[in-house]
Amino acid sequence: MGIYGSLAQQPGVVRVLVSQLLARFPFGMLSIILLLHIQLAYGDFTSAGIVLAAQSVGQAVSGPLSSRFMGRFGMRRVLTLTSIVCAALLVTIALVHLPLPIVAGIAVLIGLTTPPVTPAVRTLYPKLVPNTQLSALFSLDAAAQELIWVFGPVVAVFVSSQFGTTAGLCVAAGFMLVGGAWFILSPAVGAVKLPPSRRGFGAVLRYPTVVIATVVGFFFVASMAAVEAGVVAAFAGDGHGGSGGHGSMESGIVLALFAGGSLVGGLLIGHREMRPWSLLLRITLVLAGMLACVVSLNIWWLSIVLFIGGLGTAPAFAALSNIVASTVKFSETAEAYGWVGMGQLMGVAAGSAFAGVAIDAFGARGAILVAAAMLAAAALCAASTMRWIPDLKGRTIEVPPETGTVTIPLA
């Protein structure tokens, strides 16, 4: 664990890590707050689903676009503008009752103006620490982000239940502005200049590793969304989405332990040297825990097996970051992480949708089987693309140079 103490001693690392977590914290809150707010405002969950879907579409589109804009206009300008506009749109939905189509349009804009904090910070990391510590930093980041998904929903439910969903949306906007300002004003953000990409939009997808990280991330995150829906359904009274007394508390405990396993795994495993088969091994660990869930939906059994499965979650995310960082030129890393993020957002939507159908048809176990199928697809992708995944044993993560060598024929 001494590697993490060494990271903390690097100038700017702690501030960047903590401030970006605070800036991203609203996205652990927004889904549930928007769901509750729109349902209360319009009287049905269908309207809430339309608004959440609209936000997801906008956010998926914005990922690679806003990341590319950072290379053209600078990180601080893009992050500042998107943070202010996105927070203002959230407050608008909170305070003004508008027709549903207009609210859905605003939700699209919220997605489009989502601050690209994640691609920004993962682009910064190679400039903050020596190459020998980069893998550990990616691992720490992947582990720490679990705090967003453990505490975000808790804060969302507490504020919304005690003070109303209007206050909840305003609190989320406040986190976005305060955390965003702290991150944006970090000396590291001002010091690092992201050169504009010399190639056209989407050209970064010519890197096999970017496609691998995007596709594997899609299936992996889809499985996370599906198992979350399955766990909630398992404790919702009848297992088919009905209401039940302490269901939300029990499901919250299980999902918190799942995230806790990810946090522990990220700290213990994620920093280890990555081999071509490391991604597959970490996904397989999560898959084993997921398949074990089918045996019983007892709270203690689910808590244990998902904690064990969670040990591979953050390390898998860290591996995806390592794959991109070690193979993509610095000027293209922000856009690359934007595409990877888009794949994960699409995974959330797909996993939730398939899980919902499976719950209606087969109960909570149906959603867990969907999650296992998604993880199996992720494992298959990782296994079939091993030859493109870099072997970092005995090596440090080095960003490829902006210019390559040119072979000059002698005859």
Side-chain angles (χ1 to χ4, degrees), residues 29-361:
M29 303 171 60
L30 276 181
S31 292
I32 189 166
I33 294 178
L34 278 174
L35 180 73
L36 294 171
H37 185 77
I38 301 301
Q39 190 274 330
L40 289 172
Y42 298 92
D44 62 85
F45 283 99
T46 300
S47 299
I50 291 172
V51 172
L52 287 173
Q55 182 209 356
S56 297
V57 169
Q59 197 170 354
V61 172
S62 76
L65 282 175
S66 59
S67 301
R68 191 174 179 88
F69 288 154
M70 287 192 293
R72 178 174 298 180
F73 302 110
M75 283 188 182
R76 277 184 167 163
R77 289 182 181 177
V78 174
L79 289 168
T80 300
L81 180 62
T82 52
S83 297
I84 293 173
V85 173
C86 191
L89 292 170
L90 286 174
V91 173
T92 300
I93 286 183
L95 299 179
V96 183
H97 186 82
L98 298 166
L100 182 63
I102 295 178
V103 174
I106 294 175
V108 173
L109 293 176
I110 289 173
L112 287 172
T113 58
T114 297
V117 177
T118 301
V121 75
R122 290 179 182 167
T123 301
L124 284 177
Y125 283 158
K127 302 297 182 180
L128 288 179
V129 298
N131 293 335
T132 54
Q133 296 181 333
L134 188 54
S135 181
L137 183 53
F138 278 131
S139 175
L140 183 60
D141 174 84
Q145 76 176 353
E146 293 299 332
L147 299 175
I148 297 172
W149 308 111
V150 173
F151 294 108
V154 174
V155 173
V157 171
F158 175 78
V159 174
S160 297
S161 62
Q162 297 298 314
F163 307 102
T165 55
T166 296
L169 285 171
C170 291
V171 168
F175 271 116
M176 185 178 295
L177 289 175
V178 173
W182 191 18
F183 175 66
I184 292 165
L185 295 175
S186 299
V189 176
V192 174
K193 304 298 181 184
L194 183 63
S197 176
R198 299 175 182 176
R199 299 197 295 174
F201 178 70
V204 71
L205 293 174
R206 295 175 185 172
Y207 289 99
T209 49
V210 176
V211 177
I212 293 168
T214 301
V215 174
V216 172
F218 168 84
F219 286 115
F220 193 76
V221 174
S223 73
M224 301 296 105
V227 77
E228 180 176 343
V231 169
V232 171
F235 299 104
D238 60 2
H240 286 76
S243 60
H246 299 287
S248 60
M249 181 183 297
E250 292 170 331
S251 60
I253 291 171
V254 173
L255 293 174
L257 286 170
F258 186 31
S262 178
L263 178 62
V264 173
L267 296 175
L268 295 180
I269 303 171
H271 64 280
R272 297 184 180 276
E273 292 180 326
M274 201 184 79
R275 309 299 304 276
W277 41 262
S278 295
L279 178 60
L280 174 61
L281 183 63
R282 296 170 186 188
I283 293 173
T284 302
L285 176 59
V286 186
L287 177 59
M290 207 72 72
L291 289 172
C293 291
V294 181
V295 175
S296 172
L297 297 181
N298 174 273
I299 182 174
W300 299 111
W301 175 256
L302 288 179
S303 297
I304 292 169
V305 297
L306 282 180
F307 180 87
I308 294 172
L311 294 172
T313 304
F317 282 121
L320 294 176
S321 296
N322 289 335
I323 289 171
V324 174
S326 60
T327 57
V328 178
K329 295 177 181 179
F330 181 66
S331 63
E332 298 177 311
T333 51
E335 184 184 343
Y337 287 123
W339 285 105
V340 174
M342 185 187 76
Q344 294 177 5
L345 285 168
M346 292 173 64
V348 171
S352 299
F354 284 120
V357 173
I359 290 169
D360 287 337

